[in-house]
Amino acid sequence: MKTLADLGNARRGLLFALVITAGVLNLVDRQIIAVLKPTIAADLNWTDDDYGTLAAWFQAGAAAGFLVSGWIADKLGVKWANPVGVAAWSVAALLHGWAITMAQFVMVRVTLGATEAMGTPTGAKTIAVVLPHRWRSTGFGVSNAASSLGAILAPLAIPAAALAFGWRGTFVAAGVVGLGWALVWLLATRGLSFGAPRDAQARGMARAAGDRADYGPILKDRRTWAVAVAKVLSDATWWLLLFWLPDFFHRQFGLTGVALGVPLAIAYGGAAAGSLLGGGVSTRLLALGWSVDATRKTVMLAAALCVVPIPVALLARDYTLAVGLMALALAGHQAFSTNLFALIADVVPQEKVGRVTAFGSFSGNVGGIVIAKVAGLLLTAGLGYLPLLLFASVAYLAALGWIQLLLPRLDRLVQT
């Protein structure tokens, strides 16, 4: 049986391409219900509160999934965690096609959220294992950009699929594609062992570190809570726009179906630009001799200011200005998020980085649960998007203020 050391560049490239594709499928599957919300809501007589409830349940499933998905990925290993994870969330997506009652939709949304949580730790683990050390930074960068690519492709592909198969058929088609991906992965890894001695040693070191410190100590650390609360505030806006932006364009400008595709793709394209700019500018400033404290907080302040004008979208007479403002806000979010995660690596001891990052992701999903339910209640009450966008406009400044309060000075730790 071949080991990773025996792999040629072509096969490594194939496995990496499959990981990137899985990330795109992960985002597209969760976005079907958002893009097709006007059609589904009309067919099933959903209220905005019903949709908000479903979004909240999805986030609850994801939050719970994040607490165990890393352990599952480590337990199964790269070879099996990938097909098991993708197949599981593909079956969950497929089952949406037969859901009728609200209770049934809640069950499949929770299942989809919980199983899609496998995507993040499995993808990161696979890139670290498959790619040589000198390629890994590029690999993680491409992986992050691929998530934004999924957000861009979703509003273009989903309405076209709905025209061809109907909204139920779109869920089924997405599930079938995912199951096909799992089969291709199994064929691509046939006869390949991922249990290289170096990886076994790394796993042993990780277990030893885990034995020395569990989640308890990080919950007593102000650095953990600086990240966690900032994630609650900032991710709430991300999830608001991810789940409700199609409805916003439908409600404000009457866009539906295929007509939603290009505006949503442009808006979500801002997320990709923000991710690249947020990381690139920070890297450049550090290279110029800026301190970690000045770099992170300056870039995060600039990113927060990008979100401030978002309520003006409600005054737009056509969707061009609204699209631009949403793209700017999403760019601001990704730039802010990129530096928030980098901040963890800057100031948190290496043996705690994984747990602080995971707890931050969990906290961000808690913010998603709250905003999803609140959005449904406010819209059902006839209050519109103004309260939500006003919150979004100040959320990032509040998050940065919280970080400044708990961590007035960021000093990079010397990791050993």
Side-chain angles (χ1 to χ4, degrees), residues 67-86:
L67 296 178
V68 298
S69 58
W71 178 84
I72 294 174
D74 285 339
K75 191 73 173 177
L76 293 178
V78 164
K79 184 170 185 176
W80 293 106
N82 277 286
V84 168
V86 176

Side-chain angles (χ1 to χ4, degrees), residues 245-296:
L245 192 55
D247 179 76
F248 171 83
F249 283 126
H250 172 67
R251 194 182 298 257
Q252 291 292 120
F253 306 107
L255 301 181
T256 188
V258 176
L260 279 168
V262 173
L264 288 174
I266 294 172
Y268 292 136
S275 181
L276 296 173
L277 282 172
V281 171
S282 295
T283 299
R284 180 60 178 164
L285 292 178
L286 290 169
L288 290 173
W290 283 44
S291 68
V292 168
D293 186 74
T295 296
R296 298 295 176 218

Side-chain angles (χ1 to χ4, degrees), residues 131-336:
L131 295 184
H133 180 76
R134 65 184 183 277
W135 293 356
R136 287 176 191 165
S137 293
T138 300
F140 283 116
V142 172
S143 177
N144 189 46
S147 296
S148 297
L149 176 63
I152 296 169
L153 291 177
L156 297 174
I158 291 170
L163 283 177
F165 308 117
W167 69 263
R168 291 187 182 277
T170 302
F171 282 111
V172 174
V176 170
V177 170
L179 293 173
W181 185 99
L183 177 60
V184 172
W185 175 270
L186 291 174
L187 292 174
T189 57
R190 186 174 55 182
L192 178 62
S193 171
F194 288 86
R198 182 178 61 184
D199 299 321
Q201 182 182 13
R203 287 195 298 272
M205 293 172 63
R207 282 196 297 269
D211 290 339
R212 290 194 301 270
D214 57 17
Y215 267 90
I218 73 165
L219 297 181
K220 301 175 183 177
D221 192 328
R222 67 168 52 210
R223 291 169 294 193
T224 300
W225 292 105
V227 171
V229 175
K231 286 291 287 180
V232 170
L233 290 168
S234 59
D235 279 15
T237 298
W238 170 254
W239 290 113
L240 172 68
L241 296 183
L242 204 62
F243 283 121
W244 290 93
L245 192 55
D247 179 76
F248 171 83
F249 283 126
H250 172 67
R251 194 182 298 257
Q252 291 292 120
F253 306 107
L255 301 181
T256 188
V258 176
L260 279 168
V262 173
L264 288 174
I266 294 172
Y268 292 136
S275 181
L276 296 173
L277 282 172
V281 171
S282 295
T283 299
R284 180 60 178 164
L285 292 178
L286 290 169
L288 290 173
W290 283 44
S291 68
V292 168
D293 186 74
T295 296
R296 298 295 176 218
K297 290 176 180 176
T298 298
V299 174
M300 292 170 83
L301 175 60
L305 293 174
C306 288
V307 191
V308 171
I310 194 172
V312 178
L314 290 167
L315 303 177
R317 295 184 178 181
D318 63 66
Y319 64 78
T320 305
L321 175 60
V323 168
L325 290 169
M326 293 301 176
L328 182 64
L330 286 165
H333 168 82
Q334 285 293 67
F336 192 96

Side-chain angles (χ1 to χ4, degrees), residues 48-64 106 109-110 113 239 243-244 365-376:
D48 290 320
D49 186 33
D50 291 332
Y51 177 72
T53 298
L54 290 175
W57 276 111
F58 174 88
Q59 291 301 130
V106 166
R109 292 309 287 175
V110 169
W239 290 113
F243 283 121
W244 290 93
N365 275 270
V366 171
I369 294 171
V370 174
I371 199 68
K373 185 60 180 175
V374 169

Side-chain angles (χ1 to χ4, degrees), residues 28-52:
V28 169
D29 284 358
R30 78 178 63 168
Q31 280 299 93
I32 293 175
I33 198 168
V35 175
L36 299 182
K37 186 251 184 184
T39 301
I40 302 173
D43 191 18
L44 299 180
N45 297 315
W46 286 351
T47 65
D48 290 320
D49 186 33
D50 291 332
Y51 177 72

